[in-house]
Amino acid sequence: MGEAKRRAEAFKRAKACLFAGIAGDESALVVADTALAFYERFILPKRYTGGCYLTTMFLHRFLKEEHGIVTDPVVGYVNDGTDDIMISHAWIELDGRKTDVTLNVVDPNISMSGGLLILDTEIVPGQARYGYHHQMTAAGEGANAALIAAGMGGLLRHKQQEHQMMLGIIADPRRMADHHSAAPSGLGYDDMRAALP
């Protein structure tokens, strides 16, 4: 069996396991269906990277407006386990279960891929097993201090400002819609909506 066929079979098994585990939970089934369809029809074909905030806003809004399912959009941090550096990241949660469709497709020059995570189930493995955090940890603060000492304070301050701005936007549905309206061509809400059935 070739590598591509093995990956396809593993993907199929992981999806079957996910759906077996959430059978009877209508909201979870819709979230899983939507997230997987979006991953397969938008993220993968476009090789869309660096879009965790927009994607989180889209999935949260789409699930609420189209299906009446309220998820929690989260702007938090991820860590790849190789050091203590924590990177701002966004995902949705349903009853505390994480769904992240963006960390599996990344720019390899910037970071390692993570798993495609649907309701806490890893559907496609990544190069790294990321830890998810709602808040910066003490170890992360120490890593930031080391970056500042190494002369990377400007970049770090920029990323911290972006993180704080996203926390404010994601807390306000009107600001989320405005942010999506200002997205680059092809990445607006309607563009993402068009990828789903």
Side-chain angles (χ1 to χ4, degrees):
M1 184 183 301
E3 183 60 29
K5 190 169 183 178
R6 273 195 294 276
R7 281 197 307 267
E9 287 296 319
F11 185 56
K12 185 177 176 181
R13 283 192 306 274
K15 287 197 300 185
C17 182
L18 166 68
F19 284 105
I22 60 175
D25 183 342
E26 195 58 40
S27 293
L29 289 167
V30 171
V31 169
D33 271 337
T34 300
L36 284 166
F38 188 69
Y39 174 79
E40 292 178 294
R41 297 177 183 185
F42 189 87
I43 301 289
L44 283 181
K46 290 184 177 290
R47 301 304 297 168
Y48 181 45
T49 65
C52 64
Y53 303 128
L54 282 174
T55 298
T56 294
M57 292 176 202
F58 169 74
L59 288 173
H60 172 72
R61 179 177 167 189
F62 175 84
L63 288 163
K64 184 176 181 182
E65 291 181 1
E66 301 282 330
H67 298 284
I69 297 170
V70 178
T71 59
D72 294 314
V74 178
V75 172
Y77 299 92
V78 291
N79 173 271
D80 67 11
T82 62
D83 53 33
D84 292 323
I85 294 172
M86 298 178 77
I87 301 165
S88 181
H89 190 60
W91 62 91
I92 61 168
E93 293 184 359
L94 178 70
D95 302 324
R97 293 172 290 177
K98 294 176 290 301
T99 294
D100 181 3
V101 298
T102 60
L103 202 51
N104 187 247
V105 179
V106 297
D107 180 342
N109 297 314
I110 297 174
S111 60
M112 294 187 294
S113 65
L116 168 61
L117 198 61
I118 309 291
L119 299 168
D120 282 345
T121 300
E122 187 178 76
I123 304 298
V124 177
Q127 296 166 303
R129 188 168 290 267
Y130 282 82
Y132 288 75
H133 308 271
H134 284 231
Q135 303 293 327
M136 178 75 69
T137 64
E141 292 288 357
N144 282 352
L147 289 173
I148 291 169
M152 297 180 70
L155 175 62
L156 182 60
R157 276 190 293 282
H158 169 74
K159 294 307 289 179
Q160 288 172 332
Q161 288 170 352
E162 179 184 58
H163 183 87
Q164 290 303 314
M165 181 180 73
M166 288 302 156
L167 281 171
I169 290 171
I170 217 148
D172 181 342
R174 185 180 40 79
R175 288 183 70 194
M176 276 198 274
D178 290 345
H179 186 72
H180 234 141
S181 294
S185 178
L187 299 176
Y189 181 86
D190 291 336
D191 300 306
M192 292 184 174
R193 173 66 185 91
L196 295 175

